[in-house]
Each structure stands twice: as structure tokens, then as C-alpha cells.
């Protein structure tokens, strides 16, 4: 489907964008915060795909991670806590010609925004949704999040988190019409970039959970992981991600065809190892914004149609 | 093709072209509305008439909002000079008028004895007026002032930009078999251009064969339903609805790389029927031979040296035009297509594109039509 | 047959059995109700009568009588469902006081209306008589008790053997009796049978053709029965007007108005009484390139509308009280980011789930002040169904021009009421044009507030050079998060100034009645017709009363304090709760007042009194007249 907005856009100069073109304000995350590496991977992706900054929109909620749009030079919408997805849906429904990315924290997406999250998966509107999961509430200073590991001590649950954590990959795979579900880690930048690229190229709602270090509050959760590649298993496949460069560092590899939903669910459920890769992908699922795409009309045409409509109510 | 129901056939073809028609139509409408937005922002807000501030505020505001004061305080605008407004208005009127032409914009007829390429070119120049109007209006909008690139001037298809070509308005052409000289169309088949020829009367059997190139969808059929094959294809395409006895084939780039995958021949007549009225028998015979040759090549690629005799009527696997697969799944597409036996088709390496396909891919990329979805 | 047959015309005596030539009662206006158990079709019977009357040139106002439950038990006073149709020679602006004639499918529904004081003394009652001799002893007993109660009230009761009659044409008269009753009304009011037939066919257009045909047979049966058995006819001759008219309800008007405004996205979550706007749009919006998005909840609906507005044309969301509550945080975001947004709140009874199907005007203060933090925005209230159409054009334009949130307050009375009004003279200038996609000049800021007006030009995604991040955090002109205190003071002032500027462009409201006098009634929203009718009657009685109706509630229309100063007493009349001034524990200071009076007192420092009711029905002009009578010459509230 051509997503041209008007003939004017046909004359926009085509030009090559570099990383520098996407540089926004100086990022104000803590030193060592994983959000920094997500930001640079994203900028690299945009440059690689040569996305015009004015045609790209980053929508976020509220949280440390949701500051993201400020630091990237595209259009950005830094909204309210938990509600980035409806805003992004509105943008894409009205303007299919824009490239839409959503950045959410784990509290943002999985807790307060859970309802929207489930429905966004089902709408399958073409956008990339990045869940920056540090397994804690960062901005509000270390409260339990739905993904905080059981027993983990936080300011709201000082005797340790009471319940087993929610598994966002498993949950996403359980929703009807899910079309792209992947997990990556910001301390494996090559994998993260490849994952984002696959997500961007997938037509539909691409859900990417990015495991993210928070040196300030949850250093003990992910901080040591970069030193323990054996705790990570890469899911590899030609239709998913298979990076030669990572072979040496991550010997634990499992061939997984992302077309296999049952296997994807089984792998997601098993928490014995951290799996990075594309769990599931189906490019043919119905997309809401495409189903609802309509031709455009000029004002005089609308008036004529409306006159005809009013005729039905004429006395 | 049922010649007695000409209008019905044209309507059927127009329906098959809905996607590309709507894309062009909608772009015209949106452009017109963008020009109107410009006019709204830059006309003198004090002017009476439908553009006035009072009118814009609506009847509810009528007795409640003091339009003069509103203009004074709020709608201070940046009125443009009269020439600029005039140029924008012209563009707007032109675009709206173009929209009014409806489906007529997408249909042309070659007069008996007329030149097919000329007719097509003229018709595209006419619908392509939209591009000219948009160029002019954009110039005005961007503050570069009115130019002589005014909307009235035609813009020949060869002057369209790559992006414009990608959005090319489709065209249905009714043409007598005697006037089927398609060579000149090759230059027009770029970007997203779709052409459908509805051929009447005695015609050569394989006139489109000479247009076959790796990136071009080329098809001949006698079945009006066959035009649906064009649906969803983003690249350039030409399809002819032919009389019953003509060759039936389709060459669809979506099926994969190599003629073996892309070309599907369902029926090739034995020879050029020596019938009164078949024009230019030599050229007709050459076209037919060309099709056979391609088909033989394709079959050779599939079966190795086994295929000695060129097939005359291959019907296995059903209609040539039905072998259309979901984009992005070339191997499956190849299996849907009938000609290459499955086992052999699987042996072809889908990861290794034909050089011509790489070129085609590059060209499509340039036209903004490359693979890779939106964000 | 009832024994007392009073008060239809001057001569009280009629007979249902032997009409000679029927008496024709000439009336300038006349009110009819049709009530049944829900599902028996009294509503469509009343709606068709109303629509056809409007099409014949009568003034009409219809009000739905809606049971609170979807499936109330049969023959229960709580289940009365139907329609009131007030028909006039000239324009009709409200539902009136009581009904002159009622068609009831059972005596319990009828009793419900009687007990709500909905029937004019001496009203004509056409009652289905099948219950009188019903097999069930209990039902027979209920019937007798009801007849005793009604008989004592002095109505003229006519038995209609509708069920028995309908059996001739259908096995199940419960589905179709309404058409028989419609036939009776058609004959009584001499309605155009071709128009009635067309309405019936339209209503059943999605069903098998035989359904419409059988309905028309039943209609004719009703007409024939009335011809033979009823000794009176009612004539409300239409005064021919010179304008083309259209007839619809307020929600249809909102939907068509949104189209006329050129809007292209409505996001909503179903909630009575707002939902039918989306039904209407669902049928037609796509033909105009518009989308109705049914979101997963009201919060998401607001978010989708904001996202769409941010990226292009102003979108709107539609809801009722509980949904308004949920959208609150997003409304604050729209204000903070200066993203244009139109929200239509079709008010119903509250708080909480309240009275889902009934009218109330209790969301005014929530609409103006309900967003935590200071969130200046615009609140408009259409007063008629015609205004429900036109308000959308103005709301969209204001939202766009001022980068503002505009809340439109409709209510259940407007939403379901049907009224003819002059056909809108459509104007291209109403229709939103495409979002600006031209390059943004270098150095321009996304909130380059004009110091005088607070206005700035928004950047829309797609505009080259305009890349910036909107944020709900306090921010400066460049949309950078504010880290110094003066920025917040300044940006707050800028957002507030826009509303003041809009206020400056408003004209002082015009008065209905004299410019000065004893009493000024102030109203807003759907009560306009009832208030003005009451004022007219009071003035006929020689009382010195005027009225004023507000449509801009934020910013408030100018000059109010000065206007109020010319009256001895000013009071609002509203459909929301207020303490009675002499209620227990109520003092002048602690009295909880009608919402508009609260606002007016704060804004004008005038001691504005109020009279309000939350009866789950529109105000009756007669009740307002009583209020006027007892307050004229009474001075200020004490
Ligand atoms: C409606 C609402 N509730 C609560 C908050 C406070 N709040 C801001 S961010 C946040 C959680 C942040 O955690 P997460 O989403 O995981 O993002 P992170 O900071 O970890 O990146 C909370 C509770 C808010 N801003 N709005
Ligand atoms: Mg977090």
C-alpha cells in the first residue's frame, strides 16, 4: 500500500542521513545506564534505513527510559505514564506515511499500560515497540515492577518481591494476532541492532523486549551478565537473527524457526536460560491500519457527499 | 474476451486496478487539500466570501463570536501577495477538476489505425497533470513564488521523477488488434506504471512477448478475471486481454529469480494464424518465436537437457495467472507456478538472485519500492 | 369502558363504539406518549410518529422514555419504555409538561407514567384491553387495581383490543402490535400514510421484505379500527415555513457536524447515551474517509485521538461522565502539549454509573475544572439539536486555532430528542484542510508563544526542520523540559492567555425578554426551550422575568455582572443537584448549589441563586413557571 500523504512528498529531496542527523539533546541518564546503548543502536538503525527524521516519530510514556525521544532528533511524543501505545496508534492510523517507534519501561508497558499493550499486540499496527526492561521502576526510585524477580528487595517490597515475575515474551506470544516477538539485550549491541532491524522491517506490531542494565538500582540483576555469556542462549535462524560475529562469544545457540509458534511459546516459558533472538514472526497477520485504510477526498467532494447525507434527513 | 460487453470489461479492469487508482486519486485529493490549507493560511483573512473568518468559525459562532475582533486578535495570518494566491488557487482548481474526471482519467481508446504509444503517452500526460500542478503548488508553498511551471502545462511521462513514476496513474487502453505495436510502451513501463490493453478484433498471437524483462510483469490472457494478477504488485506491469486464440502466458517478477520461476506459459498457438486482418505477420511470427524461445530456455533451466521439444500447450498446474504468491515468499511462489517441477524448482538457489533481478531490485529501491517494510 | 369521559374539547361525552362523524379538536400543540414493555416497539411507534410529523411540517420534540434495564420484567412499572412526542403548529423547543394522550400496551406501564405525573388531567388513554380478561388471576387483579387508581384521576380511558385484532394477521401480536397502535395514531392525527409507510420500510430495510409488508398490513388494520371506533380526531395544522428543514436527534447531529467540520477520526468506547454517535458515524464516516476507532477503553480512545490530532487533523473523542473521568489525565496532556482535541460529553445522571439513560447536567464543573493541575481550555454547550450540528464546526476550528482542548457538553435529552431544524447551509470553509507539511523555517520554535495572545503555530510530523519532542512535562518555547522556576510561571500564563483572548472575542449574551426586571433566569445546554417557554408564559401573566442562555462556559461570555446588575434577582435553572436553601444543616455559606450558579457567583460576585432538579427527565416548563412565580420580586438569595 502506498502510504503517500500527498504529491508534495514526491519532491522531498532524497538524501543520505548519518548518525549525526539523529542526535538530539544530551542524554541525561546515569552513566552506565543501558538506555544509552539502546539510543545509539536506534540511531544506527535509523541511519542504516535512511529514515528521514521528519517522517519518524518516537512515542513514549513516563519513566527514565521514556525520556528517549528527547535525545533523538526526530519528531517525539513524551506522553503520560503507560499510555504511549494508544498515542502511537492514533499517529499511525491517521498518518500511515510516518515511521512510528514506541519506547516504554517495564512499569510503563507491563503494569500501568498493560491493557493497551495487550490490545496493541492484537491491533498489529505497523510500528516498533521497544520495552526497555530493567526489571525495576527507575525514575521513581526502585519500586517493584511486574518483571522484578521474586524475592528481590525494593523500596516498596523491602522483604523481597512477593510473586514470581511476569514474563513479557510469554504474555505477548499468548495474544491473538501477535506478529513479531523478540528479545535482546543492550549489552550485546550487534544483536540488539539486528533485532531492531528485523523488527523495523517486519510489517506489523514488532514487540522487542530489551534487557536493560540499571547500574543504579539493579546492578546485581544484569550487571554481571555481560561476563557470563554461558547464561545466554541465542535463538538463530535465517528468518530470525543469525550473526556470525556472535558465534564465538555465545557458543550456546539454538536453531529456532520463528514461524513455529508452539515452539516459541515453549522456549519463552522456560526461564532456565536467557534467550535472545526472534521467538516468533509472521508477516501475513492482518494489520489494523491497513484494514482501515481509506481513500481521501477534497472539501468540495465532502460537501457534495454531505448534502446527499442530509437529504436523508430532509423534511 | 467478450467483445459485445466492452464497457463491462473496462469496468472489470478498472476494478482490478483499484489499488493504484486509489493511490493516485488520494494523492490528488490530499494535495488539493494541502493547497487549500496554504490558501487558508495565507489569504487575506478580511476578505468576504467563503474563506472569511466568520465562515470558518461556523454558524454556532455566528452571533457569539465577533468575527472582526477575532480576526484582529487571532487570525493575524501572513497574507501572501496576490500573484502567489492566484497561482495556488489555480493549482487547487486544477487538482479538483482532475478529481472530478473520475475513472475517465484512467481509460483511453486508440482510434482505428491510431498509434498506441501516442495514445498512452497522451493519456498519461493528461492524468500526469496532477504532478505538474503539485510541482507548481509546492513551489508556491515553499515561498519560491509562482513560476511558469504553472499547472496548465503538461508534463510528459518521461519528465516524471522517480517518485512520481512510483505513483504513476494506471491506464486501461482499448485498442484494435491491428494497431498493437507495443514496442514504444517499454519506455513508459517504469516505477509503478500499470497498463492494461483490451484488444479487439484480429490480433497477433504474442504481441507482449517482446516486452518481457526481469522486473516487468507481462501477461496475456483471454480471461477478464486474469487482470486480478496485477493486484498488489508494486512494480511496472502490462497486461493484455486478448482474443481466444492468442498465446496465454504470464511473467511475474514476484515468483522469484530466473525465467524458470517467473515465466509461465499456458498456451502457445502452433503458428501465426493466417487469418484475414492479422497485421504485420512477420513481426507477429517473431514475437511468437521469442516467446517460445524464452519458454524453452526456462524449461531447459528446469529440466536440463531433457526438454528437447518446445512445449506447445502447457496447461499443467492451471492458469498462468494464478501462480501469484504472497510477496516475500519466492520459494512458495515458484511452487504455485506450474511450469518448473517442484523438485527442480527447489534446487534453484533462491538466495542467489539473477543479475538482472539485482538490477531490478536496485531500480525498485530507487523508486522507493524496494523490499523492507515501514517502521 | 371507563365511566367518566371528560375534557377532550368542551363536550365531555364520547363513545368509542358508535362514532357518528368524529369531532376534530384543533390544537396549536399536542403531546402524545406511547409506552410498552421494552421490546414491544413503543419507541419505534413514537419515533415514526414524530419523524413523519416533522416531515409534514409540524414542529416536533421527542423524548425517549427508557427503562434503566435492558430486560426489565414484563408488565412492571419500572419497565415502561417508549416515547413522548410533542407536536406543534410552529417550532417546539422542549418536551412540555404533560401528555394529552397516551397509548399504553399494558396498564402497569401506564401507571408508571401516571405516577410520574406525566399525564395531563383528563388526558385520553388508549389502553390495550387484553389484560382485563386475562387467564392469570393475578394479572386481572392488577388490572382492576390499576383501573381504580386511574379512574379516580379522571382520565378518559378507551379500551383497545389490539392483541385480539392483530391475531387476525399475526400469530404473535407482541411483535407488531406497535404498528397497529401506530395505525390508530395515524388516523387520529391524519398523518400521511405514504410517509408512514416509507419510514416503516426504512426501519426494516435490513430484514426480509415480508416484515415491512406485514407491518404495513397491521398499520392499516389499526387505521381501520380507529376509523370505526374512535369519535375524535386531533388536528395540529403545520404552519408552512419557507426554509428547507432536516430532522434528526442530537447524536446524529453531532456525527454529521463532525463530518461537516472535516474531522477524520473519532475514537470512543461505548457508553450510553453517547454511543449512538459512533453508530451513526460507523454507517457513514468511511464514505468521507473517516475512521471510528472503538478503543479498548476511554483512556485509549483519548490517547488515539490525541495521537491523531498531533500528527494531523484535529480528532475527537466522545463519551459520557464515567468516560470523562477516565480521560482526565490525557486531557491534561492535551492542554500541556497544546494538542488540539475535541471531546464531546453526552451527559447522563451521576455520580458513578448513576442514571445511564437519563438526562443530567452534572458534568459542568468537572468539564471545566476536572483536570488536576491548571488546565485552561474551552467548554461549549449546545442548547438545541441544531446547535449539536453546528457546534462541532466551531469546536474544531477553535481547537485548531488555539491549539486547545475543547469540551462540548451535550446531554441525554439532546442526544435522543428528535427535532426538525433548518437544513445547514454547508460551507467549504468549515472543513478541516490537510495538515501543514511545509518546511519549518530555521530557528522557529514549536511553542513560539505570542506574548500578547499565547498563540503559537504547531509543528506537525512530516514537516521538515520541525523535529521536536512534545512533552507533558513543563517546558520552554523549544519544548525543552523546564529546569527553572520562571519557565513554568511563563508557560502557564501563555496557556491561560489563549483562553482569555478567546473570551475577548465573544459578544455579550442576548437576553430573552426585557433588559431589566425582577428576575433573570440563567440556563445552559438543553434546558433552553423549557426555560424560554416558561418565561414566555410568565410574561403573559405579567411577570417581570427575562432569561439568558450561556453556550460558552469557558471562557465565560462577557458582560454578565453588568447584565445581572439590572435584575432584582438572578437564578440559574439546571438539571443537577443543589441543596434546598432551607434544607436541614444548609446555610447560605455551605449550601451546595447548581453548578452554573457556583461558577457565576465566583466569576461575577453576584449572589446568584439556583433552582435545580435531578428527576431523570428534562425540566418541564410548567415547573419552571412555578419557580418564576415564586421568585419574581423576591430579591436576592438570603
Ligand atoms: C499516572 C501516573 N502514575 C504514576 C506515575 C509515577 N511514575 C513515573 S515513572 C514510573 C515508573 C517507571 O518505571 P518504568 O516504567 O519501569 O521505567 P524506568 O524508569 O525504569 O525506565 C512511575 C510509577 C506517573 N508519572 N503517572
Ligand atoms: Mg523500569
Amino acid at each position: 500500500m502506498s502510504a503517500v500523504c500527498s504529491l508534495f512528498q514526491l519532491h522531498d529531496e532524497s538524501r543520505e542521513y548519518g548518525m549525526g542527523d539523529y542526535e538530539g539533546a544530551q542524554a541525561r541518564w546515569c552513566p552506565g545506564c543501558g538506555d544509552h546503548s539502546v539510543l545509539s543502536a536506534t540511531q544506527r538503525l535509523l541511519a542504516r534505513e535512511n529514515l528521514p527524521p521528519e517522517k519518524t516519530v518516537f512515542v513514549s510514556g513516563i519513566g527514565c527510559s521514556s525520556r528517549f525521544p528527547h535525545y533523538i532528533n526526530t519528531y517525539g511524543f513524551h506522553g503520560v505514564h503507560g499510555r504511549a501505545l494508544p498515542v502511537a496508534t492514533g499517529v499511525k492510523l491517521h498518518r500511515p506515511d510516518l515511521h512510528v517507534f514506541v519506547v516504554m519501561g517495564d512499569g510503563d508497558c507491563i503494569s500501568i499500560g498493560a491493557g493497551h499493550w495487550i490490545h496493541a499486540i492484537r491491533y498489529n499496527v505497523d510500528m516498533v515497540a521497544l520495552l526497555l526492561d530493567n526489571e525495576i521502576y527507575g525514575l521513581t526510585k526502585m519500586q517493584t515492577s511486574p518483571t522484578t524477580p521474586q524475592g528481590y528487595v525494593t523500596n516498596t517490597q523491602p522483604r523481597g518481591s512477593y510473586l514470581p515475575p511476569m514474563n513479557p515474551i510469554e504474555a505477548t506470544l499468548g495474544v491473538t494476532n501477535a506478529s513479531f516477538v523478540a528479545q535482546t539485550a543492550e549489552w550485546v549491541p550487534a544483536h540488539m541492532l539486528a533485532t531492531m532491524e528485523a523488527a523495523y522491517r517486519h510489517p506489523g506490531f514488532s514487540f522487542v523486549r530489551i534487557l536493560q542494565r540499571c547500574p543504579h538500582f539493579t546492578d546485581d540483576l544484569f550487571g554481571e551478565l555481560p561476563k557470563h555469556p554461558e547464561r545466554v542462549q541465542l535463538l538463530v535462524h535465517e528468518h530470525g537473527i543469525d550473526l556470525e560475529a556472535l558465534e564465538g562469544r555465545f557458543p550456546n545457540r539454538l536453531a529456532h524457526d520463528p514461524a513455529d509458534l508452539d515452539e516459541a511459546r515453549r522456549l519463552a516459558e522456560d526461564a532456565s536460560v536467557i534467550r535472545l533472538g526472534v521467538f516468533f514472526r509472521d508477516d501475513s497477520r492482518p494489520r489494523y491500519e491497513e484494514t482501515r485504510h481509506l481513500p481521501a477526498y477534497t472539501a468540495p467532494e465532502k460537501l457534495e457527499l454531505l448534502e446527499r447525507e442530509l437529504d436523508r434527513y430532509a423534511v | 474476451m467478450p467483445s459485445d460487453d466492452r464497457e463491462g470489461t473496462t469496468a472489470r479492469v478498472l476494478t482490478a486496478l483499484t489499488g493504484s487508482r486509489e493511490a493516485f486519486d488520494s494523492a490528488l485529493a490530499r494535495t488539493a487539500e494541502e493547497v487549500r490549507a496554504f490558501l487558508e493560511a495565507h489569504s487575506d483573512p478580511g476578505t468576504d466570501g467563503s474563506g472569511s473568518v466568520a465562515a470558518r468559525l461556523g454558524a454556532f459562532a455566528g452571533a457569539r463570536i465577533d468575527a472582526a475582533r477575532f480576526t484582529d486578535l487571532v487570525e493575524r495570518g501572513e497574507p501572501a501577495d496576490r500573484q502567489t494566491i492566484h497561482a495556488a488557487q489555480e493549482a487547487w482548481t486544477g487538482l479538483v477538476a482532475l478529481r472530478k474526471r473520475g475513472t475517465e482519467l484512467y481509460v483511453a481508446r486508440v482510434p482505428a489505425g491510431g498509434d498506441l504509444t501516442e495514445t498512452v503517452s497522451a493519456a498519461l500526460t493528461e492524468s500526469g497533470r496532477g504532478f505538474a500542478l503539485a510541482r507548481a503548488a509546492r513551489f508556491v508553498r515553499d515561498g519560491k513564488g509562482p513560476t511558469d511551471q504553472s499547472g496548465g502545462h503538461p508534463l510528459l511521462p518521461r519528465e516524471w521523477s522517480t517518485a512520481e513514476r512510483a505513483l504513476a496513474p494506471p491506464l486501461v487502453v482499448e485498442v484494435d488488434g491491428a494497431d498493437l505495436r507495443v514496442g514504444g510502451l517499454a519506455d513508459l513501463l517504469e516505477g509503478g506504471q500499470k497498463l492494461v490493453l483490451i484488444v479487439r478484433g484480429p490480433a497477433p498471437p504474442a504481441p507482449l512477448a517482446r516486452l518481457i524483462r526481469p522486473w516487468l510483469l507481462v501477461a496475456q490472457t483471454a480471461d477478464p478475471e486474469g487482470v486480478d494478477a496485477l493486484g498488489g504488485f508494486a512494480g511496472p506491469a502490462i497486461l493484455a486481454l486478448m482474443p481466444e486464440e492468442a498465446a496465454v502466458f504470464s511473467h511475474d517478477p514476484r515468483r522469484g529469480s530466473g525465467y524458470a520461476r517467473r515465466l509461465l506459459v499456458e498456451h502457445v498457438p502452433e503458428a501465426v494464424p493466417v487469418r484475414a486482418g492479422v497485421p504485420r505477420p512477420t513481426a507477429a511470427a517473431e514475437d511468437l518465436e521469442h516467446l517460445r524461445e524464452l519458454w524453452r530456455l526456462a524449461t531447459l533451466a528446469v529440466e536440463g537437457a531433457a526438454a528437447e521439444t518446445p512445449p506447445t500447450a502447457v496447461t499443467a498446474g492451471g492458469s498462468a495467472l494464478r501462480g501469484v504468491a504472497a510477496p516475500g515468499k519466492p520459494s512458495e511462489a515458484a511452487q504455485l507456478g506450474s511450469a518448473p517441477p517442484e523438485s527442480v524448482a527447489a534446487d534453484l538457489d533462491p538466495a542467489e538472485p539473477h543479475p538482472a533481478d539485482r538490477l531490478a531490485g536496485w531500480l525498485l529501491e530507487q523508486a522507493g519500492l524496494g523490499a523492507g517494510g515501514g517502521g | 369502558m371507563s365511566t367518566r369521559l371528560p375534557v377532550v374539547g368542551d363536550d365531555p361525552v364520547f363513545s368509542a363504539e358508535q362514532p357518528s362523524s368524529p369531532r376534530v379538536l384543533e390544537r396549536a400543540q399536542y403531546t402524545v406518549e406511547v409506552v410498552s414493555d421494552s421490546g414491544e416497539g413503543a419507541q419505534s411507534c413514537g419515533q415514526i410518529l414524530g419523524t413523519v410529523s416533522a416531515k409534514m411540517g409540524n414542529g416536533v420534540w421527542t423524548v425517549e422514555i427508557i427503562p434503566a434495564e435492558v430486560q426489565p420484567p414484563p408488565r412492571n412499572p419500572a419497565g415502561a419504555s417508549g416515547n413522548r412526542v410533542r407536536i406543534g403548529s410552529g417550532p417546539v423547543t422542549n418536551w412540555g409538561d404533560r401528555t394529552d394522550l397516551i397509548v399504553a400496551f399494558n396498564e402497569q406501564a401506564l401507571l408508571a407514567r401516571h405516577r410520574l405525573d406525566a399525564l395531563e388531567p383528563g388526558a385520553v388513554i388508549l389502553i390495550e384491553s387484553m389484560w382485563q380478561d386475562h387467564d392469570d388471576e393475578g394479572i386481572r387483579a392488577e388490572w382492576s387495581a390499576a383501573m381504580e387508581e386511574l379512574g379516580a384521576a379522571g382520565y378518559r380511558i378507551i379500551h383497545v383490543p389490539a392483541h385480539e385484532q392483530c391475531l387476525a394477521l399475526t400469530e404473535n401480536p407482541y411483535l407488531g402490535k406497535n404498528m397497529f397502535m401506530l395505525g390508530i395514531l395515524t388516523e387520529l392525527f391524519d398523518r400521511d400514510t405514504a410517509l408512514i409507510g416509507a419510514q416503516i420500510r426504512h426501519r426494516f430495510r435490513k430484514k426480509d421484505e415480508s416484515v415491512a409488508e406485514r407491518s404495513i398490513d397491521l398499520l392499516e388494520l389499526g387505521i381501520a379500527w380507529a376509523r370505526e371506533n374512535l369519535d375524535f380526531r386531533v388536528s395540529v395544522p403545520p404552519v408552512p415555513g419557507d426554509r428547507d428543514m432536516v430532522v434528526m436527534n442530537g447524536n446524529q447531529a453531532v456525527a454529521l457536524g463532525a463530518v461537516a467540520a472535516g474531522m477524520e477520526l473519532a475514537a470512543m468506547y461505548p457508553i450510553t447515551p453517547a454511543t449512538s454517535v459512533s453508530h451513526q458515524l460507523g454507517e457513514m464516516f468511511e464514505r468521507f474517509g473517516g475512521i471510528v476507532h472503538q478503543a479498548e477503553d476511554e483512556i485509549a480512545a483519548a490517547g488515539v485521538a490525541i495521537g491523531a490530532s498531533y500528527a494531523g487533523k484535529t480528532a475527537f473523542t466522545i463519551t459520557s461522565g464515567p468516560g470523562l473521568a477516565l480521560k482526565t489525565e490525557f486531557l491534561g496532556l492535551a492542554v500541556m502539549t497544546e494538542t488540539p482535541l475535541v471531546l464531546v460529553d453526552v451527559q447522563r445522571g451521576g455520580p458513578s454509573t448513576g442514571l445511564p439513560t437519563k438526562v443530567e447536567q452534572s458534568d459542568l464543573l468537572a468539564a471545566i475544572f476536572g483536570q488536576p493541575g491548571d488546565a485552561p481550555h474551552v467548554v461549549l454547550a449546545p442548547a438545541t439539536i441544531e446547535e449539536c450540528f453546528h457546534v462541532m464546526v466551531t469546536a474544531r476550528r477553535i481547537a485548531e486555532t488555539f491549539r486547545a482542548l475543547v469540551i462540548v457538553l451535550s446531554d441525554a435529552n439532546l442526544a435522543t430528542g428528535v427535532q426538525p431544524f433548518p437544513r445547514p447551509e454547508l460551507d467549504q470553509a468549515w472543513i478541516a484542510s490537510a495538515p501543514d507539511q511545509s518546511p519549518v523555517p530555521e530557528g522557529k520554535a514549536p511553542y513560539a508563544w505570542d506574548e500578547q495572545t499565547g498563540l503559537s503555530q504547531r509543528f506537525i510530523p512530516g514537516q521538515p526542520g520541525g523535529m521536536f519532542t512534545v512533552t507533558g512535562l513543563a517546558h520552554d518555547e523549544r519544548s525543552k523540559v523546564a529546569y527553572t522556576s520562571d519557565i513554568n510561571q511563563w508557560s502557564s500564563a501563555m496557556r491561560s492567555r489563549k483562553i482569555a483572548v478567546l473570551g475577548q472575542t465573544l459578544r455579550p449574551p442576548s437576553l430573552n425578554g426585557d433588559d431589566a426586571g425582577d428576575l433573570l433566569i440563567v440556563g445552559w445546554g438543553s434546558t433552553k426551550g423549557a426555560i424560554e417557554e416558561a418565561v414566555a408564559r410568565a410574561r403573559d401573566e405579567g411577570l417581570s422575568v427575562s432569561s439568558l442562555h450561556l453556550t460558552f462556559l469557558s471562557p465565560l461570555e462577557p458582560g454578565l455582572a453588568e447584565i445581572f446588575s439590572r435584575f432584582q434577582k438572578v437564578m440559574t435553572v439546571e438539571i443537577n443537584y443543589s441543596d434546598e436553601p432551607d434544607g436541614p444543616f444548609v446555610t447560605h455559606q455551605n449550601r451546595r448549589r447548581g453548578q452554573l450558579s457556583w461558577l457565576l457567583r465566583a466569576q461575577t460576585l453576584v449572589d446568584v441563586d439556583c433552582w435545580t432538579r435531578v428527576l431523570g427527565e428534562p425540566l418541564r416548563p410548567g415547573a419552571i413557571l412555578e419557580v418564576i412565580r415564586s421568585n419574581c420580586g423576591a430579591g436576592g438569595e438570603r
Side-chain angles (χ1 to χ4, degrees), chain A residues 152-190:
Chain A
Y152 197 80
V153 172
T154 69
N155 286 328
T156 41
Q157 302 190 347
R159 281 167 296 285
S161 170
Y162 301 109
L163 295 170
M166 183 143 178
N167 180 335
I169 296 291
E170 199 186 354
T172 307
L173 286 168
V175 178
T176 310
N177 214 31
S179 73
F180 184 103
V181 186
Q183 180 158 277
T184 186
E186 49 74 20
W187 62 87
V188 196

Side-chain angles (χ1 to χ4, degrees), chain A residues 30 65 91 180 220:
Chain A
C30 305
S65 41
V91 171
F180 184 103
D220 46 341

Side-chain angles (χ1 to χ4, degrees), chain C residues 54-68:
Chain C
K55 283 185 181 280
M56 291 176 70
N58 284 110
V60 168
W61 187 284
T62 76
V63 173
E64 287 180 6
I65 299 160
I66 308 170

Side-chain angles (χ1 to χ4, degrees), chain A residues 60-63 65-66 80-86 102-121 129-133 137 145-147 166 168-169 171-172 205 207-209:
Chain A
S60 67
I62 295 290
S65 41
S66 286
V80 292
H81 190 35
R83 325 263 174 221
L85 288 167
V102 186
V103 181
M104 298 167 286
D106 41 317
D108 208 42
C109 175
I110 309 290
S111 190
I112 188 169
H116 307 309
W117 168 48
I118 299 296
H119 289 276
I121 299 165
L130 304 175
L131 166 61
L132 274 54
D133 194 350
Y137 284 10
S145 116
T147 55
M166 183 143 178
I169 296 291
T172 307
F205 183 80
F207 179 79
V208 182
R209 180 189 187 205

Side-chain angles (χ1 to χ4, degrees), chain A residues 4-6 293-296, chain B residues 25-35, chain C residues 434:
Chain A
V4 168
C5 191
S6 84
H293 190 267
L294 295 164
Chain B
D25 263 348
S26 289
L28 287 181
R30 293 205 176 94
T31 313
E33 288 297 287
E34 268 194 58
V35 179

Side-chain angles (χ1 to χ4, degrees), chain A residues 1-2 4-13 51 92 98-101 126-128 199-204 282 284 293-301 304, chain B residues 19 22-36 92 95-96 99-100 130-131 133-135 137-138 141 161 163-164 167 329 371-375:
Chain A
M1 189 75 244
S2 144
V4 168
C5 191
S6 84
L7 293 172
F8 285 168
Q9 292 179 2
L10 301 183
H11 307 284
D12 291 343
E13 290 156 41
L51 301 186
K92 191 73 184 176
L98 300 173
H99 310 283
V100 179
F101 293 79
D126 190 14
M127 59 176 78
V128 177
Y200 170 73
R201 293 191 164 202
H202 164 70
D282 179 352
S284 69
H293 190 267
L294 295 164
Y297 300 92
T298 64
E301 290 161 355
E304 210 175 297
Chain B
E22 254 181 31
F24 185 73
D25 263 348
S26 289
L28 287 181
R30 293 205 176 94
T31 313
E33 288 297 287
E34 268 194 58
V35 179
R36 198 168 67 87
W92 189 77
L95 287 162
V96 168
R99 287 269 309 181
K100 271 224 175 84
F131 295 138
L133 290 160
R135 285 189 190 191
R138 182 176 155 127
R141 184 199 71 177
S161 71
E164 284 165 341
L167 196 70
K329 297 204 170 158

